Amino acid sequence: MTNLDYIFLVLCLLILCIAGYLLYRLQQLEKEKKYMQVKYVDFEERFNHLQLETLESKLNPHLFKNILNSIQSHAYQTYFAMDKLSNVLDYILYESRRRFVSPKEEIDFALNLIEINKIKISPLFALTVKKKIDETDASYQQQLMAPLISIDLIENAFKHADLQSADAFITVVIELKGQVFSMMVTNKISSKAAFKKDNSGLGSETLEQRLKIIYKNHYKLDKFIEGDVYVAQLKIDLREYKTQMLAS
């Protein structure tokens, strides 16, 4: 073997060693990357869970205060309101502790909340509630809904509606079809500016944060004004969200 052959052989062995080391490091880095991805996902889930707990701890006292104010302002209807309030309280104290409830449970809660808010308005006020619920829908009894998700849309309508004019109205449409939950609330806007409080807007902010954390890109929330009518519409694709949950 000539010196040139020997040098070539040494270079080949050196290249193989370097390639083997680089391959080993690449495998180690890939393992570290996967480990960090798993830790990141775990951290994100923990962070989101803590953030949701914080948001919900703010939401529940805010809801209690609004409901009690409604009842206090119309004492003559307290008996009827207390019956509905007991259902709402049960839902808040027990069901809302769960991360998810069924569409049926959230819809029942929304209807009770509407009944409580009705004591603010005249019996002649045009309040319309339409339900388009397919009770055979696969998601109707499944725990896929974030509890208390309907509060903001309903309470804002009663808070900002024009309750005095002859053509004032509030319309609530709740629908569940094809595993898509939707709620649309419309109301004529009051010409009087709502009194601003320090914690006003908490419900809206909390709702949007919870939706982003829980449903990511499987929901759509639209709020807009057409003339003197305010429209708020929420749609949640429960089928797509369920698919995401099963895949994760």
Side-chain angles (χ1 to χ4, degrees):
M1 179 182 293
T2 65
N3 287 338
L4 186 61
D5 291 336
Y6 179 76
I7 292 172
F8 178 75
L9 180 61
V10 170
L11 286 174
C12 288
L13 290 173
L14 183 60
I15 291 171
L16 286 174
C17 289
I18 294 173
Y21 174 75
L22 291 175
L23 180 62
Y24 170 76
R25 286 297 300 154
L26 183 63
Q27 290 175 339
Q28 292 298 111
L29 289 172
E30 188 65 27
K31 289 181 180 179
E32 291 177 8
K33 179 183 175 182
K34 290 181 180 178
Y35 173 77
M36 292 304 295
Q37 286 175 336
V38 170
K39 295 296 290 182
Y40 175 78
V41 170
D42 180 62
F43 172 78
E44 186 178 35
E45 288 180 352
R46 289 172 181 268
F47 175 78
N48 287 342
H49 181 69
L50 289 172
Q51 191 174 3
L52 280 173
E53 286 185 343
T54 301
L55 291 171
E56 287 161 3
S57 68
K58 293 179 181 178
L59 179 64
N60 289 352
H62 183 71
L63 174 62
F64 275 124
K65 183 177 179 181
N66 288 345
I67 291 174
L68 291 174
N69 284 344
S70 296
I71 293 174
Q72 185 179 16
S73 63
H74 294 269
Y76 67 91
Q77 292 183 356
T78 298
Y79 178 80
F80 174 79
M82 289 300 292
D83 179 56
K84 298 300 178 183
L85 179 62
S86 66
N87 295 329
V88 169
L89 292 181
D90 283 343
Y91 189 82
I92 295 171
L93 294 174
Y94 303 110
E95 306 306 329
S96 68
R97 289 186 177 183
R98 292 185 281 150
R99 187 175 180 187
F100 295 102
V101 296
S102 68
K104 178 185 183 304
E105 291 169 310
E106 181 66 15
I107 291 167
D108 288 344
F109 164 75
L111 295 175
N112 279 317
L113 191 60
I114 291 170
E115 289 297 328
I116 291 173
N117 277 282
K118 277 175 66 175
I119 65 176
K120 298 178 181 179
I121 59 179
S122 163
L124 301 178
F125 182 84
L127 172 63
T128 305
V129 180
K130 298 179 182 179
K131 296 181 293 179
K132 302 176 182 178
I133 311 298
D134 179 7
E135 296 187 1
T136 64
D137 190 279
S139 64
Y140 184 58
Q141 299 276 8
Q142 293 185 348
Q143 294 184 0
L144 298 169
M145 291 284 295
L148 311 178
I149 212 77
S150 55
I151 290 175
D152 178 60
L153 275 65
I154 294 171
E155 288 210 324
N156 276 348
F158 284 93
K159 181 179 179 181
H160 298 292
D162 186 344
L163 304 180
Q164 304 301 324
S165 66
D167 58 347
F169 71 90
I170 296 175
T171 301
V172 182
V173 180
I174 305 172
E175 184 172 355
L176 180 66
K177 183 179 181 181
Q179 299 191 58
V180 175
F181 170 86
S182 67
M183 174 180 286
M184 183 169 71
V185 183
T186 57
N187 62 271
K188 182 176 180 181
I189 304 170
S190 174
S191 58
K192 297 179 180 179
F195 178 70
K196 291 287 185 180
K197 298 180 180 179
D198 291 339
N199 61 354
S200 63
L202 174 63
S204 297
E205 182 182 343
T206 301
L207 172 64
E208 294 186 28
Q209 290 183 43
R210 293 179 71 211
L211 288 170
K212 287 178 183 177
I213 291 172
I214 298 171
Y215 295 107
K216 297 181 173 63
N217 60 334
H218 302 304
Y219 81 95
K220 186 176 182 182
L221 178 63
D222 293 315
K223 297 179 180 181
F224 54 92
I225 296 174
E226 290 184 345
D228 59 354
V229 176
Y230 184 80
V231 181
Q233 184 172 26
L234 170 64
K235 283 190 176 183
I236 303 174
D237 192 330
L238 299 174
R239 175 187 293 169
E240 289 297 323
Y241 177 65
K242 180 169 62 175
T243 301
Q244 173 192 300
M245 287 179 64
L246 293 174
S248 61

